[in-house]
Amino acid sequence: MADADPHAVLDRDPWFASLDRAIAEAMKAAGRVRRHAAGSAVYHLGDDPNGLHLVIAGEVRLLSYSEAGAQMVALVARAGDWFGELSTIDGRERPQDAIAAGEVSLFSLDQPAVERIAASH
């Protein structure tokens, strides 16, 4: 999979572009590109927060489940989309599964990095 430049994807994102420059630079420095094979989990329902993720290439499906156990696609995150922010902010367990739909490349800020950046800015 040929990946886009994660910093170029970040710079095109309106939310990221609106951040204070020091915060944006700290996020760029702390983030890591992570690849996931088709069908692999970025995180599972009930997991502790593992950070904030930006799709660089590919798609991630956020899956919820009915009381009867039927799987429902809550969101499809594509290149340029962020996901994982709810648990990253509130510190509560993940409310969905996040599963790679095909090969996926993510720019990920792990939970400790998010907390460090938030505390220092």
Side-chain angles (χ1 to χ4, degrees), residues 43-47 49-51 53 84 87-88 92-96:
Y43 54 77
H44 288 288
L45 173 72
D47 283 354
N50 67 343
H53 310 282
S87 294
T88 299
R92 298 176 71 178
E93 63 186 34
R94 294 292 187 183
Q96 300 159 324

Side-chain angles (χ1 to χ4, degrees), residues 108-121:
S108 297
L109 285 157
D110 64 22
Q111 191 70 20
V114 171
E115 292 169 3
R116 273 192 317 272
I117 293 166
S120 64
H121 294 281

Side-chain angles (χ1 to χ4, degrees), residues 45 64-72:
L45 173 72
S64 297
Y65 304 89
S66 71
E67 286 185 24
Q71 185 182 80
M72 299 172 286

Side-chain angles (χ1 to χ4, degrees), residues 59-81:
E59 294 181 352
V60 174
R61 293 195 175 127
L62 300 182
L63 306 174
S64 297
Y65 304 89
S66 71
E67 286 185 24
Q71 185 182 80
M72 299 172 286
V73 177
L75 176 75
V76 177
R78 295 181 173 95
D81 292 336

Side-chain angles (χ1 to χ4, degrees), residues 9-19 80 82:
V9 175
L10 284 166
D11 291 339
R12 287 191 303 267
D13 178 59
W15 171 77
F16 190 81
S18 73
L19 293 174
W82 291 92

